Amino acid sequence: MSIENYKIAPSILAADFNILGRQIEELEKNGIELLHIDVMDGLFVPSISFGMPLIASIRQESRLFFDVHLMIEKPERYVEDFVISGADSITVHYEACDDLLKIINRVHSLGVECGIAINPETPVESVYPYLSEVDMILTMSVRPGFGGQRFKEEVLEKVEALADIRKEKGLDFQIEIDGGVNKRNLRRIAEKGVDILVAGTAVFDGKISKNLKEMRR
Ligand code: DX5
Ligand code: ZN
């Protein structure tokens, strides 16, 4: 996929929850198509964020594509609830699942897309057996659990490997990167073959329209 085709997926983890609805509207007005929604359970990662009620609430007002990133243990317990709440895509962590194929099939049977996420220290080869089954591979470029961390450069090797294998095998999964993306490193990351760049702090810290404009420049 060429660099012009990449998308920015703002992560609402960095939003101001007092005015979340208004901020989502602003994203829509600024041409954003995907919203990245980080769900944390206090077990798979140390922090707790939000869950189904919040997603169901914003679903009422927004037509954006909801890219739900589950940083939770045994995500199979909640897949259906997240779909009912309004998820368009569900990404589970390789490290958190016992039977990945089963969960991928379950997600697809509910009519939504399925992604697999890998932590920075998880080898990219771990997901190779699933590449023809999933819609997306999410490569974490920070330790999962918190926004505002520094981008881990070494993760770009995994992106390159995924882009190569995708081309070689004629596959069509998307490559997403999550953590530490900002206006300075965005283009360089996209050039490696990333389709979706998640950005929290870089989008919500300050003025959203100005931030997005600078990121797209
Ligand atoms: C981290 C989350 C990320 C995070 C990105 O666990 O998965 O989506 O919110 O935040 P920034 O862009 O601030 O690194
Ligand atoms: Zn995320």
Side-chain angles (χ1 to χ4, degrees):
M1 198 169 272
S2 85
I3 174 160
E4 285 73 29
N5 290 334
Y6 72 83
K7 290 183 174 148
I8 297 171
S11 162
I12 58 166
L13 191 63
D16 178 349
F17 297 141
N18 259 318
I19 50 163
L20 182 57
R22 258 186 279 155
Q23 290 194 322
I24 294 173
E25 248 174 63
E26 200 176 343
L27 295 173
E28 289 174 354
K29 279 194 200 124
N30 282 278
I32 287 297
E33 294 167 35
L34 294 96
L35 202 61
H36 187 79
I37 302 178
D38 286 307
V39 178
M40 305 178 181
D41 66 351
L43 289 169
F44 181 72
V45 289
S47 38
I48 296 176
S49 58
F50 42 72
M52 290 75 100
L54 181 130
I55 299 172
S57 169
I58 57 176
R59 182 78 287 174
Q60 290 176 29
E61 296 293 327
S62 175
R63 297 228 181 121
L64 293 179
F65 185 94
F66 282 6
D67 166 29
V68 176
H69 177 194
L70 297 182
M71 283 166 277
I72 68 177
E73 288 291 350
K74 301 199 185 302
E76 61 276 8
R77 295 172 295 160
Y78 295 112
V79 162
E80 195 166 354
D81 293 324
F82 280 106
V83 173
I84 292 169
S85 306
D88 294 299
S89 165
I90 292 193
T91 296
V92 298
H93 266 265
Y94 170 83
E95 303 85 1
C97 300
D98 296 326
D99 189 342
L100 264 175
L101 268 187
K102 196 169 164 194
I103 194 162
I104 294 166
N105 289 333
R106 178 93 188 101
V107 171
H108 283 154
S109 75
L110 294 164
V112 302
E113 295 186 10
C114 186
I116 303 177
I118 47 172
N119 284 340
E121 67 279 6
T122 301
V124 68
E125 292 80 11
S126 319
V127 296
Y128 284 3
Y130 310 100
L131 295 181
S132 57
E133 310 296 326
V134 290
D135 302 285
M136 182 170 83
I137 298 293
L138 187 170
T139 48
M140 286 302 304
S141 41
V142 296
R143 184 169 64 98
F146 306 94
Q149 304 177 71
R150 215 177 67 168
F151 184 81
K152 287 182 184 290
E153 293 291 331
E154 63 272 24
V155 171
L156 289 178
E157 276 177 31
K158 291 197 218 178
V159 169
E160 285 175 315
L162 286 168
D164 284 351
I165 197 164
R166 176 170 64 183
K167 198 169 170 200
E168 196 185 299
K169 303 215 163 160
L171 297 170
D172 60 3
F173 61 89
Q174 301 227 294
I175 303 174
E176 181 172 62
I177 200 141
D178 184 4
V181 174
N182 57 46
K183 63 182 177 194
R184 288 174 300 281
N185 60 18
L186 179 129
R187 271 194 93 76
R188 185 164 53 81
I189 298 167
E191 273 164 11
K192 301 285 183 192
V194 176
D195 308 289
I196 304 166
L197 295 109
V198 176
T201 315
V203 170
F204 289 100
D205 190 10
K207 206 168 166 1
I208 291 174
S209 55
K210 179 171 172 272
N211 290 341
L212 286 173
K213 210 169 168 184
E214 287 178 359
M215 290 172 88
R216 285 168 171 151
R217 199 175 281 158

